[in-house]
Amino acid sequence: MAIISEKKIAEIVEKADIVTIISSYLTLQKKGRNYWGVCPFHQDGNPSMSVSPEKKIFSCFSCHVGGTVIEFVKKFEKINFPSALKKVAEITGIEINELKNYAIKEKYSDDEKMIFKLNEEANNFYRTLMFSQLGKTAHEYLSSRNILNDQISSFEIGYSSRQASLCERLLEKGYSKQQISDAGLGTVYDLEIKDYFVNRIIFPIKNEDNYIIGFSARALNDEKPKYINSRENLIFKKSQLAYNIQNVLRMHMENNQVIVLEGFMDVISLESIGIKNAIAIMGTALSEYHIKLFKSNKMEVKLFLDGDLAGINATIKAAKALMRANIKTTIVDNNTNQDPDELIQDGQKDFVISRIEDSTHPAIFLVKKMWENVDNNNPDSISQYLTKIGDFIDGIKDPVIIDKTILLLMKLTKLTQSTIIQMLRIQSTVSSNKVNGNSKKIFVDKQENTIKNSKPLAREVDPIIKKAYEIAEQKVFVSLLKSSQYLDKIAQNIELIINNNIRSAMRGIISEYRCGNYHGGNPEQALKLIEDRIVDYRNQIELILANKIIMLDASEKEIDDAFIMLNQYQSYLAVHRAEIELKNATSSEEKMLIMQRLDILRKMANKMKR
Ligand SMILES: [Zn+2]
C-alpha cells in the first residue's frame, strides 16, 4: 500500500462536507451550531451523536465514539482506512493518485453476505415459530429455566419445528439448495434437502458487526446430542465465537469491561440478574480472534470460566495469552462445581455478583489455586510449585503485583522473602535455557549453572556475524514503523526476530496497523501507541532510530534478505548453544545425545547458507 501523507488526509477532511456525507447514512437534525442524529454505534434511543460542521468531527456523548468523516465511513461501512479515505475523497471530488488503482476492500465477500442473509431469514422463521402454537413446548421449557418473553425477544431465541420446514420456505423464496447447504441450514440427500435443525430451541450467534454467523440448538427432549452448533463454513468458525458480543459492543460501559464465560446459557442467566456485559466463548479455548477483538475495542477482561480442573487450566492459559497482549485481565474464582448458570438457577445470585466483584489478578489467583494441591511437608512439591509460579510471573512488570505475590507466597509457604525471590528468579533462567527433564533435577542443575553462566563458557558469538544480524533485524523493524508495505510478510516471519524487545515492539505495531490506529509514516506516533510495551527499552529503540543507515528506505529484496539472514543466524545460534552444552556435558551418554543433535543442527545451518 502506498503511503498517503498526513497533509493529504487533512486536506480531504477539511474539504469534505461532513454533514452531507453522514446524512447519507442517517437522519441528522440541526440544533444550534451542530447537527444531531441517533448513534449507529450503540443501542441509542435518543439522538446522542452530534456532528460539527465547524470542527469537522462527529462524536457520541453516550458511547464516546468520534472522529473525522473518514473514521465515520470506515466504522459504518466496516471497511479499512484506505477504502474509507478513497470513498470520502471521491465524494468530495479530490483525486488521490496513490489510491488510483486501489480497490475498496469490503469486509465481507458476496458469499459471506449471502450466508448472513440466509441466517437472517432462518432466524425470522424460527422466531415466528417460537411464538406460534407449534412453539408451545419450547416456550414452556424456557420458562421452566426462567427465560421469559423479554429475554426470548432480546436474545432472539427461536424454535425449529418438525412440522414446519425451513428449507421448503427458503426454496419457495428462491434460494438454491446449494446456498442453503452452504449456509449449513440444510443437508442435501440425493435430490432432497432437509432441515439441519429439527425440534430444537434455536439460539442465534452474532458477530461483532451484528450479523448472525450461525446457531446453537438445544434438544427439546432427551435427544442426543443435547446441543448442536452450525457446521463450520465461511463465516462460522468454532474458534471465533463470542456469543452476545454484538450487544456488549453496543452498550455504554464503565471501564469497558467484558466478562468472558464458557457457555451461552451463562450469558443469558447473568443478563437476567442485570449483568449485561458478558460474552461466551462457547466451550472452546480463547483464541487469537478473541484477543484481537478485545484489543481493538480496548476492553478489559474478567475471566469467569468453570471451576473444574479443565476450567482452571483453560483460565490460566487464557490469562497468560491476554496478559502477553497487554490486555488488563482479572479472574473470577469460581470455587464451586457449578457453572454461573447453575448457580443463578440455584438462587445464588448474590454469591455470583460478589465473586465477580472480587475478581483478582491472574498471578494471585494462580498462587492460591495451585497451593491447594501442594504437599506442605514435601520440599519437592513446594519447589515445583514455586517453579510454576515463577514461570507464570516471568514477564509481569507491575511491581505491586510482584510484591503482593511474594507476600502471599511467604504466608503460604512460610519461607523467607529472600528464598522466594531467589527461587522465582532461578525459574526465569531455567525457562530461557529451555532444558528438558525432571523438574527437580533442572532446579539443582540450574542453581549451579547460574553461577557458571556469569562467566563466558565457550567462545563468544562472532561479533561480525552478530552485527550483521542486528542490522538486518533493525532494518525490518524500521521498515515496519515506516509503512505497512511489508506488513503481511513481516507478521508471518515475526518469530525470526531474535531480540525480545524489538519483537515485542513489532508485535505491538502490527496490531496497531491491524486495528486501524496506525497508518505508517510516523514513527513517533507509532512509539506513542505502543508506549506501555516499550517502557523498559525506549532508549534502545531511540538509538536505532538515530542510525541514518538503518533509517534508509528498504526495498522488498532487502527485507527478504534480512529474513534469510535472521534465519541463518537462528541456526548459527542453535549450533553455538549446543557447542556450549557439549562442553559442559558430564556423562558420556549426555555427550552422545548432544553430538547427535549438533550434527543435525550443523547440517541444517549449512543448508541455510546455500
Ligand atoms: Zn454512540
Side-chain angles (χ1 to χ4, degrees), residues 39-42 44 48-49 60-65:
C39 172
F41 305 121
H42 79 275
D44 197 10
S48 313
M49 179 181 282
C60 169
F61 67 75
S62 184
C63 72
H64 306 294
V65 160

Side-chain angles (χ1 to χ4, degrees), residues 5-23:
S5 68
E6 292 289 329
K7 208 177 131 208
K8 188 87 186 172
I9 297 172
E11 185 199 332
I12 294 162
V13 169
E14 182 55 38
K15 286 200 182 143
D17 182 348
I18 187 169
V19 174
T20 309
I21 295 176
I22 295 185
S23 292

Side-chain angles (χ1 to χ4, degrees), residues 18-19 22-23 27-37 47-61:
I18 187 169
V19 174
I22 295 185
S23 292
T27 314
L28 291 180
Q29 264 196 326
K30 189 160 198 249
K31 256 187 245 162
R33 288 175 163 189
N34 294 340
Y35 290 77
W36 292 82
S48 313
M49 179 181 282
S50 69
V51 179
S52 162
E54 287 163 24
K55 294 185 195 152
K56 305 268 174 196
I57 52 164
F58 75 97
S59 70
C60 169
F61 67 75

Side-chain angles (χ1 to χ4, degrees), residues 261-324:
L261 303 166
E262 195 118 6
F264 66 88
M265 291 304 270
D266 299 324
V267 171
I268 296 173
S269 272
L270 279 190
E271 208 257 2
S272 75
I273 60 165
I275 301 170
K276 298 181 176 180
N277 56 330
I279 64 158
I281 52 177
M282 312 217 26
T284 61
L286 199 83
S287 68
E288 271 302 311
Y289 163 80
H290 298 111
I291 290 175
K292 220 178 132 186
L293 188 66
F294 302 145
K295 188 106 189 139
S296 61
N297 290 292
K298 302 188 169 62
M299 287 169 144
E300 289 179 22
V301 175
K302 274 181 196 271
L303 288 170
F304 191 175
L305 304 179
D306 292 352
D308 57 1
L309 191 65
I312 294 169
N313 286 332
T315 301
I316 292 167
K317 230 180 130 184
K320 237 184 150 171
L322 288 164
M323 283 168 26
R324 222 179 290 136

Side-chain angles (χ1 to χ4, degrees), residues 91-349:
I91 299 170
T92 313
I94 298 174
E95 226 177 279
I96 312 174
N97 286 327
E98 295 93 326
L99 289 180
K100 219 171 205 170
N101 300 315
Y102 183 82
I104 290 177
K105 270 190 207 123
E106 302 232 10
K107 186 163 175 187
Y108 299 108
S109 69
D110 288 346
D111 289 342
E112 289 171 329
K113 284 186 199 154
M114 179 50 83
I115 302 180
F116 290 142
K117 201 170 153 206
L118 275 152
N119 282 343
E120 193 63 46
E121 296 264 16
N123 196 37
N124 292 336
F125 181 79
Y126 295 140
R127 288 179 74 187
T128 311
L129 283 180
M130 171 61 84
F131 285 98
S132 75
Q133 196 55 35
L134 293 174
K136 210 169 156 249
T137 325
H139 222 105
E140 277 165 9
Y141 167 78
L142 289 175
S143 29
S144 77
R145 304 234 3 200
N146 293 317
I147 301 176
L148 306 176
N149 278 347
D150 53 342
Q151 280 200 310
I152 294 177
S153 295
S154 63
F155 286 102
E156 306 185 9
I157 305 169
Y159 170 61
S160 62
S161 168
R162 228 181 264 290
Q163 285 153 66
S165 161
L166 170 70
C167 289
E168 259 173 44
R169 167 67 64 92
L170 293 173
L171 290 170
E172 273 167 27
K173 284 198 154 192
Y175 296 102
S176 69
K177 281 181 196 161
Q178 189 62 48
Q179 286 170 329
I180 299 170
S181 159
D182 286 348
L185 295 166
T187 311
V188 179
Y189 298 93
D190 296 328
L191 293 169
E192 260 190 301
I193 183 158
K194 289 203 169 129
D195 281 15
Y196 183 68
F197 299 113
V198 179
N199 195 29
R200 284 173 178 268
I201 298 176
I202 308 280
F203 299 84
I205 305 163
K206 295 189 174 187
N207 69 5
E208 65 272 28
D209 297 324
N210 208 19
Y211 289 123
I212 301 171
I213 53 173
F215 302 90
S216 187
R218 191 196 192 279
L220 252 196
N221 310 319
D222 294 331
E223 232 166 283
K224 294 275 149 43
K226 200 152 119 188
Y227 287 98
I228 53 173
N229 289 345
S230 290
R231 293 193 291 255
E232 292 231 338
N233 61 29
L234 268 184
I235 53 171
F236 191 81
K237 308 252 171 4
K238 243 170 55 189
S239 62
Q240 301 185 1
L241 304 180
Y243 182 79
N244 200 38
I245 188 70
Q246 79 283 2
N247 290 325
V248 174
L249 288 176
R250 278 159 192 81
M251 57 192 281
H252 171 39
M253 283 182 293
E254 233 179 285
N255 307 331
N256 231 10
Q257 271 175 353
V258 61
I259 300 171
V260 175
L261 303 166
E262 195 118 6
F264 66 88
M265 291 304 270
D266 299 324
V267 171
I268 296 173
S269 272
L270 279 190
E271 208 257 2
S272 75
I273 60 165
I275 301 170
K276 298 181 176 180
N277 56 330
I279 64 158
I281 52 177
M282 312 217 26
T284 61
L286 199 83
S287 68
E288 271 302 311
Y289 163 80
H290 298 111
I291 290 175
K292 220 178 132 186
L293 188 66
F294 302 145
K295 188 106 189 139
S296 61
N297 290 292
K298 302 188 169 62
M299 287 169 144
E300 289 179 22
V301 175
K302 274 181 196 271
L303 288 170
F304 191 175
L305 304 179
D306 292 352
D308 57 1
L309 191 65
I312 294 169
N313 286 332
T315 301
I316 292 167
K317 230 180 130 184
K320 237 184 150 171
L322 288 164
M323 283 168 26
R324 222 179 290 136
N326 274 327
I327 294 169
K328 194 173 169 205
T329 307
T330 56
I331 294 175
V332 179
D333 184 5
N334 178 8
N335 57 352
T336 70
N337 287 321
Q338 291 170 295
D339 60 34
D341 176 41
E342 288 165 335
L343 288 168
I344 291 164
Q345 297 297 334
D346 220 22
Q348 303 199 57
K349 171 187 161 184

